[in-house]
């Protein structure tokens, strides 16, 4: 399959599948930004907090670009960003609750942020023209998130402190099932995107993701090839069941300052 | 966690001298590079480098931060 895929050339089913896909990426980045922001203060060092601050700015910038992409697909980005309930959010369910400690932030950087990057990378290499032009800059910024996540993951996994390893193992075991289900989504809309050449097939995405994180999680004695995705799936939103906590959604929508909203 | 001091050097444009612009505490070389890039982001640097302070050899001073070497926090 060759040639770029323009938004106005899509049939309605493919357009709808692409809306779900882009919305899930955008919502995931917005919620991930909130989760990182919780650790700007309280990170293990000032430098780690500054890095968290930078990453949450990156994630919100990426989310804004992805929400804007929805306009090409027949959705109103302002309404999507500011008027949806928590139940309508399509963020990967691994981000539904705040990160309880730095080990969870570390797992989030490597395993959740990393999953978004694997999928975005495929989107950038696909045929959907807006993605091929807008996503590469995101990927360049994500390289830092990946490096920081891996460095911290290795440090905690190889720590002589059993509690550091235990916390990281719990966080890893908690996020892998929903993330694997999200990366390897293979329902009808997901297949439409593959047929359109917008992203690689689910098996290919899963293989790339597993390759990406295999060595790190193995440090804890975990086998990402044996790990399986969650069974439950919400096909309408393209994620598992559940929703992010209400506080995060109020922050994402900017509820407390709606009267000051300027668009 | 053990941390080390890394000194940060940068130049704004090709041909400019590499200047000492600050330092970061970091776990290792990988985190030092990220922390430096994210902490000293007030400029669009042409080039930035980090050096673990304990690897800097003072030539003429026996006092000051470089003579003391990089701290190692327990």
């Amino acid at each position: 399959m060759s040639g770029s895929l323009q938004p106005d050339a899509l049939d309605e089913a493919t357009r709808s599948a692409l809306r779900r896909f882009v919305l899930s990426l955008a919502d995931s980045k917005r919620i991930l930004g909130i989760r990182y922001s919780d650790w700007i203060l309280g990170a293990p060092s000032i430098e780690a907090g500054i890095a968290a601050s930078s990453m949450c700015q990156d994630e919100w910038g990426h989310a804004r670009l992805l929400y804007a992409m929805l306009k090409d697909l027949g959705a109103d980005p302002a309404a999507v960003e500011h008027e949806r309930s928590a139940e309508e959010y399509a963020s990967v369910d691994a981000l539904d609750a705040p990160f309880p400690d730095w080990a969870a932030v570390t797992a989030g950087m490597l395993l959740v942020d990393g999953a978004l990057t694997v999928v975005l990378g495929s989107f950038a290499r696909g045929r959907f023209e807006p993605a091929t032009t807008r996503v590469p800059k995101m990927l360049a910024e994500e390289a830092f998130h990946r490096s920081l996540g891996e460095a911290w993951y290795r440090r905690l996994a190889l720590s002589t402190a059993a509690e550091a390893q235990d916390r990281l193992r719990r966080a890893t075991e908690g996020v892998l099932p929903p993330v694997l289900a999200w990366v390897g989504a293979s329902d009808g809309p997901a297949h439409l995107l593959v047929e359109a050449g917008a992203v690689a097939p689910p098996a290919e995405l899963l293989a790339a993701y597993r390759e990406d994180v295999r060595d790190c999680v193995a440090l804890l004695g975990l086998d990402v090839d044996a790990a399986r995705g969650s069974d439950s799936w919400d096909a309408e939103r393209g994620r598992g069941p559940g929703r992010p906590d209400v506080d995060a959604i109020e922050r994402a929508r900017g509820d407390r300052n709606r009267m000051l909203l300027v668009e | 966690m053990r941390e080390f001091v890394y000194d940060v050097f940068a130049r704004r444009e090709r041909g400019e001298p590499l200047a000492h612009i600050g330092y970061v505490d970091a776990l290792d070389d990988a985190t030092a590079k990220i922390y430096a890039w994210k902490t000293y982001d007030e400029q669009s640097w042409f080039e930035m480098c980090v050096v673990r302070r304990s690897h800097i050899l003072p030539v003429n001073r026996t006092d000051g931060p470089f003579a003391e070497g990089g701290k190692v926090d327990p």
Side-chain angles (χ1 to χ4, degrees):
Chain A
M1 199 176 293
S2 62
S4 66
L5 195 61
Q6 299 295 333
D8 54 8
L10 300 171
D11 62 64
E12 188 44 43
T14 306
R15 180 188 299 262
S16 172
L18 207 43
R19 264 199 308 269
R20 186 189 80 165
F21 175 75
V22 172
L23 185 60
S24 188
L25 280 167
D27 283 349
S28 294
K29 284 188 163 286
R30 179 138 293 179
I31 301 301
L32 181 58
I34 288 175
R35 302 308 180 209
Y36 284 151
S37 78
D38 292 336
W39 290 90
I40 293 173
L41 301 175
S45 67
I46 289 173
E47 287 85 350
I50 291 170
S53 168
S54 176
M55 290 193 299
C56 72
Q57 291 176 63
D58 289 343
E59 298 303 344
W60 273 49
H62 300 170
R64 174 53 66 89
L65 285 169
L66 289 162
Y67 284 129
M69 212 181 278
L70 291 171
K71 194 172 182 180
D72 298 332
L73 300 168
D76 173 9
V80 167
E81 283 193 70
H82 303 294
E83 296 174 10
R84 286 178 304 143
S85 68
E87 288 74 16
E88 294 172 275
Y89 268 68
S91 42
V92 60
D93 30 323
L95 298 171
D96 280 355
F99 295 139
D101 52 33
W102 190 255
V105 178
T106 298
M109 285 191 278
L110 184 78
L111 303 172
V112 185
D113 208 349
L116 301 179
T117 301
V118 165
V119 173
L120 266 177
S122 176
F123 196 29
R125 293 187 297 274
R127 292 180 60 224
F128 187 57
E129 198 271 340
T132 61
T133 55
R134 297 178 207 173
V135 173
K137 183 173 183 295
M138 299 182 204
L139 297 174
E141 291 173 345
E142 286 294 337
F144 281 98
H145 304 198
R146 159 72 200 194
S147 296
L148 187 64
E150 179 171 348
W152 266 103
Y153 200 98
R154 288 183 179 279
R155 179 53 59 115
L156 296 180
L158 297 172
S159 167
T160 52
E163 187 172 351
Q165 292 185 354
D166 290 345
R167 289 185 184 202
L168 188 61
R169 183 177 292 105
R170 277 200 300 275
T172 298
E173 290 173 337
V175 301
L176 272 181
V179 165
L180 288 168
W182 185 83
V183 172
S186 59
D187 58 5
H191 282 291
L192 282 176
L193 297 182
V194 175
E195 286 169 19
V199 288
E204 207 173 296
L205 293 175
L206 269 179
Y209 178 68
R210 287 188 160 115
E211 173 72 22
D212 198 39
V213 304
R214 182 178 294 115
D215 291 349
C216 282
V217 302
L219 296 173
L220 293 170
L222 299 174
D223 181 0
V224 74
D225 297 301
R228 291 289 168 261
S230 315
D231 292 331
S232 303
W233 184 250
D234 179 341
E236 188 175 337
R237 292 182 294 166
R239 52 156 284 164
R243 60 167 176 74
D245 66 289
V246 171
D247 179 63
I249 298 306
E250 287 177 355
R251 291 165 66 192
R253 289 189 305 233
D255 285 4
R256 292 178 194 172
N257 294 297
R258 283 302 295 275
M259 78 291 288
L260 305 176
L261 180 65
V262 177
E263 281 291 334
Chain B
M1 293 285 166
R2 283 164 56 98
E3 288 201 325
F4 303 94
V5 179
Y6 287 78
D7 284 284
V8 183
F9 300 85
R11 66 176 116 233
R12 280 176 295 190
E13 293 178 20
R14 186 193 298 271
E16 278 191 351
L18 199 60
H20 183 265
I21 61 169
Y23 71 90
V24 292
D25 293 340
L27 301 171
D28 51 26
D29 294 356
T31 48
K33 288 193 281 186
I34 299 161
Y35 291 166
W37 190 250
K38 293 299 187 185
T39 301
Y40 296 98
D41 65 350
E42 70 276 12
Q43 298 277 350
S44 181
W45 302 107
F46 170 75
E47 184 175 22
M48 179 183 282
C49 306
V50 292
V51 183
R52 190 180 286 194
R53 184 168 290 175
S54 60
H55 291 175
I56 294 176
L57 305 178
V59 173
N60 67 322
R61 302 289 307 186
T62 55
D63 58 354
F66 298 118
E68 292 169 9
K71 72 176 180 187
V72 180
D73 293 332

